[in-house]
Amino acid sequence: MVSKKVLIVYAHQSSGSFNSAAKDVAVEVLTAKGCAVEVSDLYAMTFKATATAEDITGKVKNADHFCYGEETKLAWEAGKLTADITEEQRKLTEADLVIFQFPMYWFTVPAIMKGWMDRVLTLGFAFTHEKRYSQGIFKDKKAMLSFTTGSQESMFSANGINGDMNVTLWPLQNGILHYCGFQVLAPQIFWAPSHVPSEARGTMLEGWRTRMQGLLGENPLAFTPLDCFDGEKGYQLKPEVHEKHAAKEFGLTVGNHLGKALPPNNQMKAGV
């Protein structure tokens, strides 16, 4: 049996943090299961967060009107991206599973992790106009978010002050991971660990440890396949898709809900 390769993209400043403990559990369990695990510790690496012309070695095509996507695509094709980007792209190319471990900042990933996504997931390498979503470049890879919140779970509900966590996760899971073709595993959410007793934090980590045992065999979240959209009509859902789901209570996904109620847990649990 071929050993699976796992990349953990980790963003926390402190080795004493809960996020660090969650990362360590993943490394320990997955390594014990025979996986080859690499960790990109972004703060320790002082990873550059900003996407700029400095990410390209040598001359750019149009310095007067610099377009990051186009220029980095050309640089990727020519082997002229900077070493920090190409090293992360190597890790990603080799990985069967990518875990993003982070504290949620302002309802999304920390800037340093967003910078990793901006700079590493370059046009051409991670996606093209033809190869995206269900037909994406990384369709044979799995990815997932594992993160801590500062708010209690009830605050991220449909009736909570922060709104529905399913909606919060849509831009990250659909707009970045699924866009690049990843099979997106259900997120691992550690609800407000800094506001609970140490025993409760220990229980959270044990739950994560248990999930790790079968993580590589989990089914991914459901997203609407690309062929359900009409590319000649602005990538709108095809009429037959509407007809097929007309009598159903909920929409397809959080993002494509057909004017119906949002499907509960669509971005948080597989098989719903």
Side-chain angles (χ1 to χ4, degrees):
M1 184 175 178
V2 178
S3 174
K4 295 291 186 180
K5 294 188 177 182
V6 181
L7 171 62
I8 301 176
V9 184
Y10 166 67
H12 200 287
Q13 304 91 333
S14 173
S15 60
S17 66
F18 185 93
N19 274 275
S20 180
K23 177 258 297 176
D24 290 345
V25 165
V27 172
E28 176 191 338
V29 176
L30 291 170
T31 300
K33 290 181 67 64
C35 295
V37 183
E38 281 194 279
V39 177
S40 289
D41 186 339
L42 300 183
Y43 286 106
M45 295 158 60
T46 60
F47 191 81
K48 185 169 85 75
T50 52
T52 67
E54 294 174 355
D55 294 340
I56 299 167
T57 62
K59 292 183 179 180
V60 299
K61 180 181 178 180
N62 188 345
D64 293 331
H65 181 52
F66 180 76
C67 176
Y68 190 83
E70 179 182 349
E71 295 283 4
T72 52
K73 178 178 184 292
L74 294 172
W76 170 71
E77 292 172 341
K80 293 184 178 180
L81 290 172
T82 53
D84 60 338
I85 295 176
T86 56
E87 174 62 5
E88 295 307 298
Q89 290 183 339
R90 176 198 65 78
K91 296 175 186 177
L92 186 49
T93 298
E94 295 178 357
D96 299 295
L97 167 67
V98 184
I99 300 173
F100 294 90
Q101 182 66 58
F102 61 95
M104 180 170 273
Y105 283 6
W106 296 111
F107 290 39
T108 189
V109 297
I112 198 167
M113 181 171 283
K114 182 57 165 57
W116 187 98
M117 294 170 172
D118 290 346
R119 299 178 64 229
V120 176
L121 301 176
T122 57
L123 176 61
F125 168 73
F127 67 96
T128 67
H129 179 77
E130 296 78 18
K131 296 180 179 180
R132 51 183 171 160
Y133 290 120
S134 58
Q135 297 174 16
I137 289 172
F138 298 143
K139 62 184 179 181
D140 294 326
K141 300 179 184 293
K142 294 183 177 182
M144 68 173 296
L145 307 178
S146 175
F147 62 94
T148 58
T149 68
S151 299
Q152 299 169 357
E153 183 174 4
S154 61
M155 296 169 69
F156 272 109
S157 65
N159 293 320
I161 192 169
N162 292 345
D164 192 337
M165 178 60 88
N166 291 281
V167 176
T168 298
L169 293 176
W170 178 257
L172 292 172
Q173 295 188 151
N174 180 73
I176 299 176
L177 301 183
H178 178 52
Y179 190 90
C180 294
F182 284 111
Q183 300 172 49
V184 185
L185 300 183
Q188 180 72 22
I189 307 175
F190 301 103
W191 300 102
S194 61
H195 300 300
V196 298
S198 59
E199 294 82 3
R201 290 194 291 275
T203 300
M204 290 180 182
L205 289 175
E206 283 307 307
W208 180 222
R209 183 182 297 275
T210 299
R211 184 182 177 190
M212 280 283 124
Q213 299 297 331
L215 187 66
L216 289 164
E218 286 186 4
N219 291 323
L221 300 173
F223 294 90
T224 310
L226 189 61
D227 60 12
C228 288
F229 299 87
D230 191 335
E232 295 182 357
K233 295 183 179 179
Y235 286 96
Q236 295 292 294
L237 280 166
K238 295 176 179 178
E240 55 266 35
V241 177
H242 282 271
E243 292 170 11
K244 182 179 179 181
H245 292 84
K248 297 187 178 181
E249 180 182 2
F250 300 108
L252 288 166
T253 66
V254 168
N256 312 119
H257 53 86
L258 306 173
K260 300 174 181 288
L262 298 185
N265 289 323
N266 170 257
Q267 291 296 290
M268 296 173 70
K269 295 180 180 178
V272 296

